[in-house]
Amino acid sequence: MAKNIYLASPFFDDEQIARVKKIEKALESNPTVMDYYDPRLHQHEELEFGSPEWQTVTYNSDIEAIEAADAIVAIVDFEGQNVDSGTAMEIGYAVKKGTPILIFQEKEPVLNLMFSVPVHAYISKPEDIANYDFDAMKKIPYKGKVV
């Protein structure tokens, strides 16, 4: 049965947005993915960005999507070791909820232990996301450096 995926990631510059778009395409081509939710695509443009109403609506829709997700795909290619606070929060929420977390990282394999311990599958190539069987949910341990 195809799964619902929550795509957690930073999307603040061109490099990050290009990476997110690669993973969106990979999820779209994956036959075991029914649908995915990407906060980047749900910014509620009908509301004033940053306003209290926008903050509430955006936060609540993201939380609802995490609650509905069968798995989280989290892109953790940050600026050096500077973790994106939103992505970290989404991973933490998923950990507490017991939702499997797939970490995607193209850059140097270095993870904070708070990501390396709960990771269900560690993936470094977009094509591996496209081919990952979200029904079988095979474990792929992280074997890189931990900080």
Side-chain angles (χ1 to χ4, degrees):
M1 181 176 191
K3 305 295 185 201
N4 286 310
I5 309 301
Y6 184 94
L7 178 55
S9 70
F11 47 91
F12 302 109
D13 62 32
D14 292 341
E15 178 187 354
Q16 292 171 342
I17 292 169
R19 188 171 294 108
V20 173
K21 287 180 177 181
K22 285 192 281 189
I23 301 307
E24 290 168 353
K25 284 184 180 181
L27 291 170
E28 289 166 4
S29 69
N30 185 313
T32 65
V33 173
M34 179 172 48
D35 199 8
Y36 71 91
Y37 180 94
D38 181 351
R40 182 182 80 81
L41 303 175
H42 295 87
Q43 288 294 302
H44 302 282
E45 287 83 8
E46 72 278 8
L47 302 172
E48 180 187 348
F49 180 83
S51 69
E53 183 183 19
W54 175 87
Q55 292 175 46
T56 300
V57 169
T58 301
Y59 175 83
N60 288 331
S61 63
D62 290 358
I63 293 298
E64 288 172 17
I66 294 170
E67 284 285 336
D70 298 302
I72 305 293
V73 172
I75 300 173
V76 298
D77 284 320
F78 306 123
E79 295 295 323
Q81 292 303 308
N82 298 321
V83 174
D84 172 59
S85 58
T87 304
M89 183 275 187
E90 292 158 335
I91 290 171
Y93 195 102
V95 167
K96 178 65 175 162
K97 187 176 174 289
T99 304
I101 300 161
L102 287 79
I103 297 238
F104 177 80
Q105 186 176 40
E106 284 184 312
K107 293 182 178 181
E108 181 183 358
V110 177
L111 286 181
N112 181 288
L113 74 92
M114 299 307 279
F115 291 174
S116 68
V117 171
V119 67
H120 184 85
Y122 179 82
I123 298 173
S124 60
K125 297 177 186 161
E127 58 269 21
D128 291 342
I129 294 285
N131 297 317
Y132 186 80
D133 186 342
F134 284 93
D135 291 326
M137 291 299 293
K138 177 184 173 188
K139 284 191 167 251
I140 304 171
Y142 173 71
K143 297 178 181 176
K145 181 179 175 184
V146 175
V147 293

